[in-house]
């Protein structure tokens, strides 16, 4: 059986180049200390290993849907996308997400977040919004391949997975549940082996679910 291996995450995907930016809808986790502690527990044994770029807490994110490169989406179109999306998301309630143990993917170490259903519904609404404003042919990405996840490290080299699996296997932790109350529309860059962004708008998830108590 072939050895399971990592590959470098930082290859230039179609359309990307140094200095280029894109608009995207993300969930971000700057104000989630319980999640930060969980990430710290798993990043600690990884910090001594080569081949990884660990993600700082402020840049933890869950990519919901790209909108388009900043040099291809004009201000008026972006404003229209944001307005329609905000209107649609007023019907969406805050989402409680659970993080258990990271898994190893070929280019990253990541939490595959549960439940996936509400996140898929959010993504679907955002894709329909972009299609309605910009046209179906301008919706980036493919729906069927999407797995909701939050990465804690990206691979920056080719090499075996086994050292990372061994490091993660030594961590003992309890699952963490956080409540997400908004979707961020951001301007994203990916230079210098790090995803960074500036937030253009936060779209609240504020609908009330009967019988559901507010979470942390």
């Amino acid at each position: 059986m072939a050895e399971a291996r990592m590959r470098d995450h930082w290859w230039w995907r179609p359309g990307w180049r140094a200095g280029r930016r894109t608009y995207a809808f993300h969930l971000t986790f700057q104000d989630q200390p319980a999640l930060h502690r969980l990430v710290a527990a798993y990043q600690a044994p990884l910090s001594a290993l080569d081949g990884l770029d660990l993600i700082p807490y402020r840049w933890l994110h869950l990519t919901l849907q790209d909108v388009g490169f900043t040099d291809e989406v004009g201000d008026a179109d972006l404003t229209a996308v944001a307005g329609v999306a905000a209107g649609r998301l007023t019907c969406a309630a805050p989402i409680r997400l659970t993080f258990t143990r990271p898994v190893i993917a070929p280019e990253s170490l990541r939490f595959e977040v549960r439940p996936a259903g509400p996140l898929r519904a959010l993504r679907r609404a955002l894709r329909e919004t972009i299609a309605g404003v910009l046209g179906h042919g301008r919706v980036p990405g493919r729906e069927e391949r999407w797995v909701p996840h939050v990465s804690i490290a990206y691979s920056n080299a080719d090499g075996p997975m086994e050292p990372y699996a061994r490091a993660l296997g030594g961590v003992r932790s309890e699952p963490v549940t956080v409540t997400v109350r908004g979707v961020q529309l951001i301007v994203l860059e990916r230079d210098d082996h790090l995803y960074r962004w500036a937030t253009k708008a936060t779209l609240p998830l504020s609908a009330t679910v009967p019988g559901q108590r507010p979470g942390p």
Side-chain angles (χ1 to χ4, degrees):
M1 180 180 294
E3 178 186 46
R5 296 184 64 82
M6 306 292 290
R7 60 176 181 258
D8 187 358
H9 173 78
W10 298 109
W11 59 281
W12 289 110
R13 287 151 177 78
W16 279 101
R17 59 179 179 268
R20 203 175 194 195
R21 307 289 184 264
T22 195
Y23 297 119
F25 289 106
H26 276 197
L27 303 182
T28 61
F29 302 95
Q30 292 96 325
D31 300 321
Q32 298 287 0
L35 176 59
H36 297 174
R37 290 191 292 271
L38 184 66
V39 170
Y42 284 104
Q43 285 185 341
L46 297 173
S47 63
L49 302 178
D50 294 330
L52 294 177
D53 295 312
L54 303 184
I55 301 171
Y57 306 146
R58 69 172 296 188
W59 302 121
L60 295 170
H61 61 278
L62 190 157
T63 303
L64 283 171
Q65 175 62 44
D66 291 343
V67 178
F69 290 107
T70 58
D71 55 356
E72 295 180 346
V73 178
D75 291 345
D77 282 341
L78 184 69
T79 298
V81 168
V84 174
R88 295 190 70 156
L89 296 189
T90 58
C91 300
I95 302 173
R96 288 173 60 81
L97 300 177
T98 298
F99 297 75
T100 53
R101 297 187 65 84
V103 300
I104 304 177
E107 296 184 6
S108 66
L109 281 63
R110 67 195 199 182
F111 293 102
E112 295 191 349
V113 184
R114 300 290 184 268
L119 297 170
R120 292 187 185 281
L122 272 185
R123 177 175 164 86
R124 213 161 33 242
L126 294 171
R127 289 177 64 82
E128 290 169 359
T129 294
I130 296 166
V133 174
L134 303 182
H136 287 277
R138 292 182 62 186
V139 182
R142 297 174 62 179
E143 177 67 23
E144 66 275 14
R145 292 191 171 186
W146 187 71
V147 176
H149 64 272
V150 174
S151 296
I152 64 170
Y154 293 113
S155 172
N156 60 32
D158 297 335
M161 290 183 179
E162 193 275 334
Y164 309 129
R166 188 167 61 247
L168 295 179
V171 178
R172 298 292 175 263
S173 65
E174 295 296 323
V176 166
T177 298
V178 304
T179 300
V180 174
R181 303 184 186 279
V183 173
Q184 283 71 45
L185 174 59
I186 64 172
V187 185
L188 179 71
E189 63 168 276
R190 52 154 293 168
D191 297 341
D192 304 318
H193 285 206
L194 183 65
Y195 291 99
R196 290 181 288 240
W197 60 83
T199 300
K200 299 284 289 184
T202 296
L203 313 183
L205 303 172
S206 54
T208 301
V209 177
Q212 179 174 301
R213 296 181 179 180

